[in-house]
Amino acid sequence: MKKKMLLLNTTVLLGLGGVLSTPAYASTIQDMESQKSQIQNQRQDVQSNIKAASDELTRLQAEQDQMKAQLERLTLAEEENNKKAQKTEADIKETSKQVDQLEKEIKLLQEKLEKRNDILKDRARSMQESGGNVEYLQVLLGSSSFGDFVDRALAVSTIVDADRGILKETKNMQDELKTKQADVKSKLASLEDMKAELDEMTVQLAAQKKQKDALAKELKDKEAKNEELKASLQSKDSSLANEQSTLEQNIKDQKAAEEAARKAARKAAEQAAKEAAKKAAEQAQKAAAEPAEKADSPSPKAAPKASSNDVAPTSAPAPKASNVVTVGNRWIGNSAYVFGGGRSQSDINHGLFDCSSFVHWAYSQVGVNLGPLGSVSTETLKHAGTQVSSSQIQPGDLVFFDTYKKDGHVGIYVGGGKFIGAQSSTGVAIANMSSGYWKQKFNGRVVRI
């Protein structure tokens, strides 16, 4: 009987062990935990890429802000240059009127001089016919030109008062004619310079407009790419987050199912233990009712009570002067060319220069004064220092170029055949004077400050 009870208890315990030690759940959870770990690693990579992309977006945004500021400068420069172009056109029209008026006055003076010339010839001829003063006649006959005739006639003391008055008036008219002719030549020269400046300004405006349009397109393209990159990264991260969330829910559900199974197993074990104990008691009662001779036999020990504690639970898975060549670098990409610009603090604050005002500003930053800012020009700068041979050129020297006029452009030599200056199409920039356009325009003038 004892052997039967031991066999029964052993069978019950083995059955309970089989119920409680189900590895299927643990294997499934381990797989899901592995998948979760992989997704987490992927998300870490994506998050790292998002951070890198965010940093890049921040950098691009800063670049976009800089480009927007440059567009604003170019717009302001375009407006200022348009104003100057309109003023130049108005000046040309006004100067043309003045030239026309001077030409009319010159024509009238010439007609008066011709009449006076005829009168003097008649008087001289009349004096000769009436036996006039020989000295006077010799003076007249010895003159090499009409102007020389007037000067000689005025020097003869025997001229009658009437002749002297006519000659003096004629002399004054001649002087007035020369003055007006010189004035016309000066105004014509100024008009030609103004026209050349206007033509140069037109080229500059076209170049600036092209640059402005290119920057605007570049800005728009970069903004589109940035938005596309941002959306792609956010979509990838959202997809991985959803996948991770789903997997975490599956793991949670699986663990809940596993816990429910363990509880059911414990309940079944407890029920089986109760049934085994009940059966053992029944067997004991039956044994007590057997013949007395069997009563001396040692009574069987009660089957050990199975406990949920007897089953191990499944574990869960575990400024010097030499600096003048570099001081202007701050304006590269942050400036615009304005004809006549850079002569007020407002222009300087907005990075609006022309070639001579930029040079003046650069030298002022290293403590060198190149004269009054309001009147600085290529003409004043070429006399500001000592001219040296182009073969002795060194960084910091001023270099001059013949553009719309002689010495029409100036920059600062930086070495290596290059110079920095306010260029009409780019604003402040470093250009190569060893080849191309600037090599053709360099006139050899080098000034050392």
Side-chain angles (χ1 to χ4, degrees):
M1 183 65 187
K2 181 178 180 180
K3 291 181 179 180
K4 289 182 179 180
M5 291 297 295
L6 289 173
L7 181 60
L8 177 62
N9 289 336
T10 301
T11 303
V12 171
L13 292 174
L14 287 175
L16 289 175
V19 171
L20 293 177
S21 60
T22 53
Y25 291 115
S27 175
T28 302
I29 290 176
Q30 286 177 353
D31 289 343
M32 288 191 292
E33 289 285 1
S34 177
Q35 293 175 14
K36 176 183 175 182
S37 178
Q38 292 175 3
I39 290 176
Q40 287 176 331
N41 290 336
Q42 291 179 22
R43 284 203 71 190
Q44 287 178 355
D45 291 340
V46 172
Q47 291 289 345
S48 177
N49 290 335
I50 288 176
K51 183 181 183 305
S54 297
D55 293 341
E56 177 66 8
L57 287 171
T58 300
R59 186 191 69 79
L60 288 174
Q61 185 60 52
E63 183 179 341
Q64 290 169 9
D65 292 341
Q66 184 178 5
M67 290 172 66
K68 287 178 180 177
Q70 179 66 354
L71 284 175
E72 291 175 359
R73 277 189 291 270
L74 285 174
T75 299
L76 181 58
E78 187 176 22
E79 292 173 355
E80 290 297 320
N81 283 335
N82 278 327
K83 290 178 183 177
K84 292 183 183 297
Q86 292 171 3
K87 185 178 183 302
T88 301
E89 287 281 9
D91 290 344
I92 287 176
K93 291 179 180 178
E94 182 62 28
T95 305
S96 297
K97 291 180 181 178
Q98 294 176 10
V99 169
D100 291 341
Q101 183 61 34
L102 284 172
E103 288 178 345
K104 290 178 181 178
E105 293 177 6
I106 288 172
K107 185 177 180 180
L108 290 174
L109 278 174
Q110 288 174 337
E111 291 175 355
K112 288 182 180 181
L113 285 173
E114 289 175 359
K115 291 179 180 179
R116 293 296 174 89
N117 189 21
D118 292 338
I119 292 172
L120 290 173
K121 285 181 179 179
D122 290 340
R123 292 178 67 83
R125 190 179 299 109
S126 175
M127 183 176 287
Q128 183 179 10
E129 291 174 352
S130 61
N133 187 289
V134 175
E135 182 181 2
Y136 179 50
L137 293 175
Q138 288 177 343
V139 169
L140 296 178
L141 294 174
S143 60
S144 60
S145 65
F146 179 67
D148 187 28
F149 166 79
V150 173
D151 291 336
R152 285 171 176 263
L154 286 172
V156 178
S157 59
T158 58
I159 300 176
V160 296
D161 291 340
D163 288 347
R164 184 179 294 275
I166 293 175
L167 289 170
K168 283 185 176 180
E169 187 176 352
T170 303
K171 175 65 174 175
N172 291 337
M173 291 172 65
Q174 281 185 321
D175 292 341
E176 184 181 358
L177 178 60
K178 290 180 180 178
T179 300
K180 289 191 175 184
Q181 286 177 329
D183 193 17
V184 169
K185 288 181 180 179
S186 175
K187 286 186 178 294
L188 284 174
S190 175
L191 188 62
E192 290 173 355
D193 286 344
M194 290 169 67
K195 183 65 170 62
E197 289 175 359
L198 181 59
D199 291 342
E200 182 74 10
M201 198 179 301
T202 301
V203 174
Q204 293 165 5
L205 289 173
Q208 288 181 355
K209 181 65 167 58
K210 184 178 180 181
Q211 182 189 11
K212 179 179 175 182
D213 292 343
L215 284 174
K217 184 179 184 303
E218 183 180 354
L219 178 61
K220 186 175 180 180
D221 291 344
K222 284 191 175 184
E223 285 179 344
K225 289 180 180 178
N226 289 347
E227 291 300 328
E228 183 180 352
L229 174 62
K230 183 178 178 180
S232 175
L233 289 171
Q234 289 177 338
S235 176
K236 178 65 175 177
D237 185 55
S238 177
S239 176
L240 286 173
N242 290 336
E243 189 175 349
Q244 180 179 342
S245 177
T246 300
L247 192 56
E248 287 174 347
Q249 184 62 44
N250 289 342
I251 291 174
K252 182 179 179 181
D253 293 343
Q254 191 68 30
K255 285 183 176 180
E258 183 183 35
E259 181 63 23
R262 281 199 293 267
K263 287 182 179 180
R266 282 196 296 270
K267 186 175 181 180
E270 290 174 355
Q271 183 65 32
K274 287 180 181 180
E275 291 177 356
K278 181 179 179 181
K279 193 170 184 179
E282 291 174 351
Q283 290 293 339
Q285 290 177 358
K286 184 178 179 181
E290 287 182 354
E293 64 272 10
K294 293 184 179 179
D296 296 333
S297 301
S299 60
K301 295 182 179 179
K305 185 176 181 180
S307 169
S308 60
N309 294 331
D310 295 333
V311 182
T314 304
S315 61
K320 295 178 181 179
S322 59
N323 292 336
V324 73
V325 299
T326 57
V327 72
N329 289 351
R330 59 170 288 195
W331 293 116
I332 295 177
N334 297 308
S335 59
Y337 184 95
V338 172
F339 198 89
R343 288 165 178 78
S344 68
Q345 193 57 48
S346 176
D347 279 359
I348 293 173
N349 291 342
H350 289 88
L352 305 178
F353 297 96
D354 65 9
C355 61
S356 54
S357 65
F358 170 74
V359 169
H360 187 284
W361 174 87
Y363 268 93
S364 71
Q365 298 306 295
V366 296
V368 179
N369 186 357
L370 296 181
L373 176 60
S375 59
V376 66
S377 65
T378 54
E379 190 67 22
T380 63
L381 290 176
K382 75 180 184 181
H383 299 295
T386 304
Q387 292 196 31
V388 297
S389 170
S390 59
S391 62
Q392 298 175 331
I393 192 171
Q394 63 186 30
D397 290 344
L398 303 187
V399 286
F400 291 80
F401 305 84
D402 293 343
T403 51
Y404 69 93
K405 67 176 182 178
K406 185 171 180 59
D407 298 319
H409 189 71
V410 63
I412 302 172
Y413 186 69
V414 299
K418 296 180 180 180
F419 76 99
I420 186 171
Q423 323 298 3
S424 61
S425 60
T426 60
V428 175
I430 294 176
N432 189 353
M433 56 184 286
S434 298
S435 62
Y437 176 82
W438 292 113
K439 181 180 180 180
Q440 297 174 2
K441 298 298 182 179
F442 178 53
N443 62 17
R445 186 187 297 278
V446 178
V447 173
R448 184 160 299 159
I449 303 300

